[in-house]
Amino acid sequence: MTKRKGILDVQIDVKNLIGEMSISRNPTQKAKDKKPLLSNDSKLITNALEVITRQMKVSGNRSRTINDYILHVEHFQNVTGVKCVSDITADTIYQWLDSMNVSNQTKLTRLKCLKAFLSRCFDNGWIELKFWKTINIKVDQKVKEGATEHEVNVLLSLLDFGNFIHLRDAVAVLVMFKTGIRINTLVQLEEQHIDLKNNVMNLDGSIMKNHQQIKLPFDDFLKKLLKVLIKQNAVIRREYGKENTLIFITKYGDVISNSPTHNNIQKRLNKYSKVYGLKNINPHALRRGFARTLLDKGANVAVISKALGHSDISVTTKYLYLDVDEVANNLRSFLNI
């Protein structure tokens, strides 16, 4: 289809918005009590994996997560020769880990997947003790920085808000930085999720990784940009005959892929990061920046964890890395010394 000249030119004057660009600183049942889903003589790992896979699909787990389970559990079985769930021991797990010629970080990732499989076996009543809890691999944690207000402002100052793609990308950056949502949630946002009257996103569980509903507020500047983007989206969709109500679409009005390698927005953020020398302009860094901003403004970790949609508060603490001097200074202020 031939693109009409000027279709990507934003039809609404957004020049007056540029001056507003600055961002404000301001109890589970015991396993023995559960009815096993497999008979005592058929607790083969292959059967267990089949049952757990079905459970995960019903629960709405992503295909990628399910495939990781299958891949690593089958690899464990091939390496160790263990056939039954009840024959899995700490020794067989260590045997499996020792067989890998990969980094400790990769081993840890695979171990976590096997542990998750074993935890589901325990929940189904096929294993009596969580013997794998003490098995771990030491990995030097690299500190992942969050995006800063300065970096976000620099990027916004370099983008042309009169161009649809730049406008879309700018709004995407601000949404992630100011609400902390994941990019997979971002590309599923629809107009029904945005309450422009009350400046809040009403996110239902269907687009959230943890499947839990949450409400996330946003400021007036982001509200104005969202209004402009929604109107421009309508222009794009009319031109190409598309009928979705998504907030973030391609220049042809189509759905943006969830895949990191095919996600238009993620690829463009990577490009901006390289071209403009902004190392923390990426989806994870923007979420971390959101978390750090909340912490600096006095929010407690429990609230931050809820806002980020984390199921485990320990994950949140990794987002809020504090160096030793910062910890000492904070302790002094609390202890009045």
Side-chain angles (χ1 to χ4, degrees):
M1 181 181 294
T2 303
K3 182 173 64 177
R4 179 168 62 82
K5 183 178 180 181
I7 188 64
L8 297 183
D9 295 332
V10 178
Q11 303 300 310
I12 300 166
D13 183 12
V14 294
K15 292 182 179 179
N16 292 332
L17 293 177
I18 304 303
E20 303 177 43
M21 193 177 294
S22 180
I23 299 169
S24 176
R25 294 182 183 274
N26 296 325
T28 61
Q29 184 181 6
K30 293 183 178 179
K32 64 181 182 181
D33 295 330
K34 293 189 176 183
K35 183 179 180 179
L37 296 178
L38 296 177
S39 62
N40 291 332
D41 59 350
S42 63
K43 294 178 184 175
L44 296 175
I45 293 176
T46 52
N47 293 345
L49 187 58
E50 183 180 350
V51 172
I52 289 174
T53 297
R54 291 202 301 268
Q55 292 173 334
M56 293 176 72
K57 288 179 178 178
V58 171
S59 298
N61 290 93
R62 294 182 299 172
S63 296
R64 180 178 174 181
T65 301
I66 296 173
N67 289 336
D68 285 344
Y69 268 61
I70 297 172
L71 176 66
H72 299 310
V73 173
E74 288 183 345
H75 182 245
F76 167 83
Q77 190 173 14
N78 291 335
V79 169
T80 63
V82 175
K83 301 296 183 183
C84 297
V85 171
S86 58
D87 291 334
I88 300 176
T89 64
D91 287 340
T92 59
I93 294 177
Y94 281 119
Q95 176 190 348
W96 175 58
L97 294 171
D98 289 340
S99 73
M100 302 179 198
N101 185 24
V102 295
S103 69
N104 278 2
Q105 180 61 62
T106 300
K107 286 185 180 182
L108 180 60
T109 300
R110 296 176 181 179
L111 176 60
K112 286 181 177 179
C113 193
L114 181 63
K115 282 184 171 183
F117 166 75
L118 293 173
S119 292
R120 288 180 177 271
C121 288
F122 176 84
D123 291 339
N124 285 324
W126 308 329
I127 300 178
E128 294 184 359
L129 298 173
K130 294 185 177 182
F131 62 86
W132 58 89
K133 285 292 185 179
T134 58
I135 301 175
N136 214 332
I137 297 175
K138 185 176 181 180
V139 176
D140 293 331
Q141 295 291 332
K142 293 182 179 180
V143 177
K144 295 182 180 179
E145 299 178 12
T148 64
E149 179 184 356
H150 173 71
E151 289 172 312
V152 172
N153 278 337
V154 168
L155 176 60
L156 295 183
S157 69
L158 294 169
L159 297 181
D160 177 8
F161 282 46
N163 175 276
F164 171 72
I165 300 299
H166 282 204
L167 173 67
R168 181 202 66 188
D169 295 347
V171 179
V173 166
L174 283 173
V175 168
M176 287 186 281
F177 187 69
K178 292 189 172 188
T179 69
I181 64 172
R182 296 177 174 87
I183 193 165
N184 282 347
T185 298
L186 180 92
V187 297
Q188 296 180 76
L189 282 178
E190 298 187 48
E191 293 178 15
Q192 64 177 348
H193 296 128
I194 312 296
D195 182 350
L196 292 172
K197 181 178 180 181
N198 297 302
N199 288 30
V200 66
M201 291 184 182
N202 296 308
L203 308 180
D204 54 74
S206 66
I207 66 172
M208 299 294 290
K209 184 178 180 181
N210 64 356
H211 307 294
Q212 295 182 7
Q213 180 184 12
I214 192 170
K215 292 186 177 183
L216 297 169
F218 52 84
D219 60 27
D220 283 335
F221 177 60
L222 182 52
K223 172 182 178 176
K224 292 176 181 178
L225 285 181
L226 281 167
K227 282 184 175 180
V228 174
L229 181 61
I230 289 172
K231 290 181 179 179
Q232 191 62 27
N233 284 343
V235 174
I236 300 293
R237 281 192 287 259
R238 280 198 303 269
E239 175 69 15
Y240 295 106
K242 302 301 167 63
E243 296 184 354
N244 60 68
T245 58
L246 294 166
I247 299 297
F248 298 97
I249 57 177
T250 71
K251 61 183 179 181
Y252 300 114
D254 294 316
V255 176
I256 293 176
S257 172
N258 277 329
S259 169
T261 56
H262 295 90
N263 185 299
N264 294 22
I265 294 176
Q266 182 157 324
K267 288 165 69 174
R268 290 189 64 83
L269 294 191
N270 291 338
K271 180 179 178 180
Y272 295 142
S273 180
K274 292 177 181 178
V275 172
Y276 300 130
L278 302 170
K279 63 179 181 178
N280 292 318
I281 296 298
N282 62 73
H284 283 298
L286 291 166
R287 270 170 62 78
R288 289 175 184 275
F290 165 75
R292 186 57 201 234
T293 298
L294 287 182
L295 183 68
D296 290 343
K297 291 183 177 182
N300 64 56
V301 177
V303 170
I304 298 174
S305 184
K306 182 69 175 179
L308 289 171
H310 287 159
S311 57
D312 188 338
I313 204 168
S314 67
V315 177
T316 309
T317 60
K318 294 179 182 178
Y319 271 59
L320 304 172
Y321 176 80
L322 302 172
D323 63 35
V324 291
D325 291 331
E326 191 170 3
V327 172
N329 291 334
N330 284 340
L331 286 175
R332 288 193 183 95
S333 66
F334 282 114
L335 297 173
N336 295 318
I337 56 177

